[in-house]
């Protein structure tokens, strides 16, 4: 049934706020959570056994994660190989290419004409690297560790890296 389990509000008009759809259809959602018209609290929240917020979806659908982990956000390729990992302890994001003939990361600015296509601003950084590219494999011809192409940008910069407080380390490092 499309209404296998339903929770409604307690107002005069009983509006659905949580519906579980048990039909196996290509055009439906299994679970629907509907925000109230003036809701400001989370749509969905996961808490620890001690009541600490772990993860939530805001009333506007934004994802928030409160976690200190070397794999706070990890995406695998379906075979267990990590492709994207964000370490919330150190703030390091790792992107691993899927095959030897693909880009590990690509930024496309489409029809951007007046702002930065790629910008890193780390003005409070005092040690370390604002941007570091590390290859653990051999890059063979044709290929490059870092490539910037500007076809139509007329104002602004294709790439901008800023670290005005940096006293040790480098603004840009390729190893």
């Amino acid at each position: 049934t499309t209404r296998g389990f339903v929770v409604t509000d307690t107002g005069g008009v009983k509006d659905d706020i949580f519906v579980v759809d048990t039909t196996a259809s290509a055009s439906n959602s299994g679970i629907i959570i509907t925000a109230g018209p003036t809701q400001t609290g989370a749509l969905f929240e996961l808490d620890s056994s001690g009541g600490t917020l772990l993860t939530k979806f805001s009333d506007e659908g934004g994802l928030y994660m409160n976690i200190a982990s070397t794999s706070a956000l990890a995406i695998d390729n379906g075979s267990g190989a990590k492709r994207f990992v964000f370490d919330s302890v150190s703030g390091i994001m790792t992107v691993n290419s899927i095959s030897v003939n693909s880009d590990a990361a690509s930024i496309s600015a489409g029809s951007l004409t007046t702002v930065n296509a790629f910008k890193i601003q780390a003005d409070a950084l005092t040690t370390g690297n604002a941007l570091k590219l590390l290859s653990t494999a051999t890059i063979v011809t044709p290929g490059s560790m870092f490539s910037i192409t500007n076809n139509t940008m007329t104002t602004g910069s294709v790439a901008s890296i800023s670290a005005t407080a940096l006293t040790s380390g480098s603004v840009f490092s390729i190893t």
Side-chain angles (χ1 to χ4, degrees), residues 106-148:
S106 178
I107 297 172
S108 175
S111 59
L112 192 66
T113 58
T114 59
V115 295
N116 300 311
F118 176 72
K119 181 177 183 178
I120 294 176
Q121 189 164 346
D123 293 334
L125 183 69
T126 57
T127 61
N129 301 299
L131 174 64
K132 181 177 181 179
L133 301 176
L134 172 66
S135 175
T136 57
T138 303
I139 297 174
V140 296
T141 305
S144 60
M145 180 66 170
F146 186 72
S147 174
I148 296 176

Side-chain angles (χ1 to χ4, degrees), residues 69-76 82-87 92-96:
S69 172
T70 57
S71 60
L73 179 62
I75 300 173
D76 290 358
K82 299 269 187 265
R83 294 301 178 219
F84 178 91
V85 177
F86 182 74
D87 175 347
I92 294 174
M93 176 184 67
T94 305
V95 179
N96 295 307

Side-chain angles (χ1 to χ4, degrees), residues 122-130 162-171:
D123 293 334
L125 183 69
T126 57
T127 61
N129 301 299
S162 171
T164 57
L166 188 65
T167 57
S168 175
S170 58
V171 175

